[in-house]
Amino acid sequence: MPDQFFQSNNKRKRQRASAPTTSGRIKNTTSHARTSQVRGLPKGRQNGANIDDDDEGLFDDDDLRASDVDSKQSDQDEDELETPAQKRLRLAKLYLDEIKKGLGEGEYDAADIDRELIEARLQQDVLEHAGKVHLFIADLLATRLSSKQTLHLRRGHRLPVTCAVISEDGKILFSAGKEGTIVKWDVLSGRQVFSIPKCRPLSKGKGREQEPVKGHTDQVFALSLSYDGKYLVSGGRDRHLVAWDATGAKWLKTFTGHKDSVSSVAFRKASYQLYSASYDRTVKIFDISPSVLGYVETLFGHQDSISSIDCMRSETAITAGGRDRSVRFWKVVEESQLVFRGGGKSALRDMLEGGGLEPDDEDEVGNSRRKGPKDSDSFVEGSIDTVAMIDETTFLSGGDSGSICLWNTSKKKPLFTQPLAHGLQETPTETGRSITSPRWITALGSLQYSDIFASGSWDGYIRMWKIDSKCRSFTPITSIATPGFVNSLQLITPPPGALDPAQWLQRPRSPNGSEEGTGTDVEELSHKPNRAMRYLVLVAGIGQEPRLGRWLKLNGEGVRNEVSLTVFNITQ
């Protein structure tokens, strides 16, 4: 007989009360009915997991009808019950509806939207998320060089233009100069829309609350426009970072976190996240979305002033560290950075960085052979001044040695180096001799995810380059005559037909004879007058002085402070 000490008076199983089987209601024993009854219970009775049969007689069919709360819960149940395939189909339909709203504003037919535009948009999104080069238009551009048309915007700045940025649709453009003025241009008409003048600095009195300055009080060095063209951010010598409403001249907010001049700013693609670089050797991240409009974090690492920054879709950025002769690849999410050293070569430095005196594999041997120039033709790089991203892992750098380097995040050394990309300059001395020095690279601009980029200096030309399909080297395509210092470069391809209403742009016409570089391409385009044209747009900020200094000034013929737009017709 078991001991009474180990016996419990509580019953382990709950006894079910016997219910009459001859009730007037039909007993529903399915799980769906039971769960629906649980939802109809008051809060005090929802805690019990089991329900007695006696409770079934407390509700009528009218009590089980869907209310507003029950309808929301039933929608959640439907979402939970849908299969992964059904969920993907539902999300795809929502995505297509958003694309139709963005593209179908009365400009296109429904058939065009359903077939061509949506298909092209989906393909572009997939390729951009892959983060690799997928726009191969350099060969097409080489056959359309004679279709070049140029627009000069000159009546906006008294002093050298430091930067110019154009929207993704190619309809509006902003430029800034050393006089502290920001000018908005209408690209279709080629006219000035409005200008934002420089502000006077506020006096600092004792006992006064310092009010935020609604603008810039000194030179403006950098501009960046959001992907949708709604917000403009500017940075300058006054250490201020100012956010503007791009549709008007409305001031939004002034950020004063940097301790020195703001040299470069860049919006992340398809996002309101902003990166800013400064002479205080830091990179700051901001969120310019209307609901936040605030500071996020600061990145440290450079040992000298940062002169250039660039970014793309992912949460990464590259910066040029000036005299520390390094390019840093920032991984924001992982809170890490990759350092790529420029400058001269030395055996000790190669050993400290983990390399040897000889290439370790055949791949590096091939790269060293492709670098081509002899040591006597190259100059020691003392500063890296500008950078530009090609895709998520490939980027370019340029500095005072006149060389353009092609990098990949998987290699510590450049994949390819083009020395003296813009030639040499001879400077006369008092003794009658001349000093030969390279023209440093003042600006780099790439068409993101494509095989085209442009470089600028002060030799009187903007040079365009073609990157090979494997992103291992690049070759020159053409040169565009541009007297003056090229202080900024940007390449875009607006949507087809976006620049067709431009008053200064001429549509292609069939020539009397076959021209070199055009041939049947121009003739085919001229027979389709209603076809939407596709253009490659190159925007350049030109000045008589370099962007960040006044150590050299050009006063030759044709040198002006202006914004130059060069357009190539790349319609296939």
Side-chain angles (χ1 to χ4, degrees):
M1 182 175 180
D3 193 354
Q4 295 181 357
F5 180 78
F6 296 100
Q7 292 182 356
S8 176
N9 295 327
N10 296 331
K11 297 181 181 181
R12 294 186 178 182
K13 294 186 178 180
R14 188 175 182 180
Q15 294 182 353
R16 299 174 61 87
S18 60
T21 57
T22 59
S23 62
R25 299 187 181 182
I26 300 175
K27 183 178 180 181
N28 191 353
T29 59
T30 61
S31 61
H32 179 71
R34 188 172 296 278
T35 54
S36 64
Q37 291 176 0
V38 173
R39 288 175 189 155
L41 291 175
K43 290 184 178 180
R45 308 193 64 160
Q46 289 181 4
N47 297 329
N50 299 324
I51 303 174
D52 296 340
D53 292 344
D54 294 340
D55 295 335
E56 295 179 358
L58 298 178
F59 300 97
D60 296 332
D61 293 337
D62 296 338
D63 297 331
L64 299 177
R65 292 180 180 176
S67 61
D68 295 338
V69 178
D70 294 337
S71 62
K72 295 180 181 179
Q73 294 177 350
S74 62
D75 294 338
Q76 296 178 358
D77 292 340
E78 291 178 359
D79 295 340
E80 294 176 357
L81 294 176
E82 69 177 354
T83 62
Q86 293 174 345
K87 185 177 181 180
R88 287 195 297 268
L89 180 61
R90 178 172 58 83
L91 295 177
K93 290 181 179 179
L94 293 175
Y95 180 66
L96 292 175
D97 292 339
E98 292 180 359
I99 295 178
K100 289 181 179 179
K101 291 179 181 179
L103 297 177
E105 298 179 353
E107 299 179 0
Y108 306 97
D109 296 334
D112 294 337
I113 295 175
D114 293 335
R115 295 177 184 177
E116 297 180 2
L117 297 177
I118 294 180
E119 181 181 358
R121 174 69 178 276
L122 291 175
Q123 292 178 356
Q124 181 181 359
D125 289 347
V126 171
L127 293 173
E128 286 185 359
H129 280 289
K132 298 296 182 181
V133 173
H134 58 270
L135 296 174
F136 298 97
I137 59 176
D139 293 334
L140 177 62
L141 176 63
T143 63
R144 304 288 177 82
L145 297 179
S146 63
S147 66
K148 178 185 68 175
Q149 301 183 53
T150 305
L151 173 66
H152 298 279
L153 306 175
R154 295 171 176 169
R155 297 183 179 179
H157 299 281
R158 296 183 295 102
L159 298 180
V161 177
T162 56
C163 54
V165 60
I166 191 172
S167 61
E168 292 187 0
D169 59 2
K171 295 183 179 180
I172 59 173
L173 183 145
F174 288 89
S175 62
K178 286 190 174 182
E179 74 279 355
T181 303
I182 301 175
V183 180
K184 181 179 179 180
W185 305 86
D186 183 8
V187 178
L188 299 182
S189 63
R191 298 178 180 177
Q192 180 178 333
V193 180
F194 62 80
S195 63
I196 304 174
K198 181 173 65 174
C199 300
R200 291 184 178 180
L202 299 177
S203 59
K204 297 181 180 179
K206 294 183 179 180
R208 294 183 180 179
E209 295 183 358
Q210 188 67 24
E211 297 180 358
V213 180
K214 297 183 179 181
H216 287 282
T217 60
D218 209 333
Q219 302 177 9
V220 181
F221 288 153
L223 292 175
S224 185
L225 196 61
S226 62
Y227 71 99
D228 54 1
K230 292 183 179 180
Y231 302 103
L232 176 74
V233 175
S234 58
R237 192 176 178 180
D238 55 2
R239 301 177 294 178
H240 292 168
L241 196 72
V242 185
W244 307 88
D245 182 5
T247 58
K250 182 180 179 181
W251 170 85
L252 297 179
K253 190 173 182 178
T254 299
F255 301 96
T256 58
H258 284 293
K259 298 180 180 179
D260 207 335
S261 301
V262 180
S263 58
S264 183
V265 292
F267 268 105
R268 189 159 68 92
K269 190 176 179 65
S271 173
Y272 290 133
Q273 189 174 11
L274 179 82
Y275 298 91
S276 66
S278 172
Y279 273 19
D280 62 3
R281 301 177 293 179
T282 64
V283 175
K284 292 186 182 294
I285 305 177
F286 299 88
D287 190 350
I288 311 298
S289 57
S291 59
V292 180
L293 203 63
Y295 161 80
V296 178
E297 64 175 321
T298 303
L299 307 178
F300 300 90
H302 277 290
Q303 304 302 314
D304 194 37
S305 58
I306 306 174
S307 56
S308 179
I309 191 170
D310 196 12
C311 60
M312 299 189 82
R313 181 179 291 272
S314 62
E315 291 191 56
T316 58
I318 58 170
T319 52
R323 289 293 173 181
D324 70 359
R325 297 182 297 181
S326 70
V327 176
R328 296 182 183 252
F329 184 86
W330 305 88
K331 299 180 180 181
V332 179
V333 177
E334 301 177 7
E335 297 183 352
S336 63
Q337 55 183 284
L338 302 177
V339 182
F340 302 90
R341 302 288 182 182
K345 299 180 181 179
S346 67
L348 177 60
R349 185 175 185 177
D350 291 341
M351 294 296 294
L352 292 177
E353 291 181 355
L357 298 179
E358 297 294 334
D360 294 334
D361 51 9
E362 297 179 357
D363 187 23
E364 292 186 1
V365 173
N367 292 337
S368 62
R369 289 177 181 175
R370 280 203 303 270
K371 291 180 183 178
K374 300 179 181 180
D375 295 338
S376 59
D377 295 336
S378 60
F379 291 80
V380 176
E381 190 170 38
S383 173
I384 299 179
D385 301 324
T386 180
V387 289
M389 294 193 74
I390 297 173
D391 59 23
E392 301 294 348
T393 58
T394 310
F395 57 92
L396 299 159
S397 68
D400 61 355
S401 65
S403 301
I404 301 176
C405 298
L406 178 66
W407 304 78
N408 190 279
T409 55
S410 61
K411 297 286 185 180
K412 289 185 177 181
K413 298 180 180 180
L415 300 177
F416 182 82
T417 300
Q418 176 63 45
L420 305 178
H422 288 264
L424 296 170
Q425 180 186 16
E426 294 185 357
T427 305
T429 62
E430 296 179 356
T431 60
R433 297 182 179 181
S434 61
I435 299 176
T436 302
S437 60
R439 294 187 178 94
W440 68 83
I441 308 300
T442 58
L444 287 173
S446 67
L447 180 61
Q448 295 182 344
Y449 304 107
S450 76
D451 59 344
I452 290 180
F453 74 92
S455 64
S457 186
W458 73 91
D459 60 337
Y461 294 94
I462 296 176
R463 303 186 187 275
M464 302 191 69
W465 308 82
K466 171 191 173 182
I467 306 173
D468 68 346
S469 59
K470 295 183 180 180
C471 293
R472 309 288 291 184
S473 64
F474 54 86
T475 55
I477 300 176
T478 185
S479 299
I480 303 172
T482 310
F485 278 93
V486 181
N487 292 326
S488 71
L489 287 172
Q490 185 184 6
L491 282 167
I492 65 164
T493 52
L499 296 182
D500 286 348
Q503 302 175 4
W504 55 274
L505 200 59
Q506 298 180 0
R507 296 181 64 89
R509 296 179 181 179
S510 177
N512 298 329
S514 177
E515 298 182 0
E516 182 179 358
T518 58
T520 59
D521 294 333
V522 176
E523 296 178 1
E524 291 177 359
L525 294 176
S526 62
H527 292 309
K528 300 177 181 180
N530 297 326
R531 184 176 181 180
M533 297 289 106
R534 187 185 180 192
Y535 297 96
L536 173 67
V537 181
L538 172 64
V539 181
I542 313 298
Q544 296 177 340
E545 300 172 353
R547 181 172 69 100
L548 300 175
R550 301 190 62 185
W551 50 82
L552 186 62
K553 187 173 183 179
L554 302 178
N555 293 319
E557 182 179 357
V559 180
R560 298 182 180 180
N561 303 319
E562 64 179 14
V563 179
S564 173
L565 269 78
T566 305
V567 179
F568 297 92
N569 193 326
I570 57 172
T571 308
Q572 296 182 353

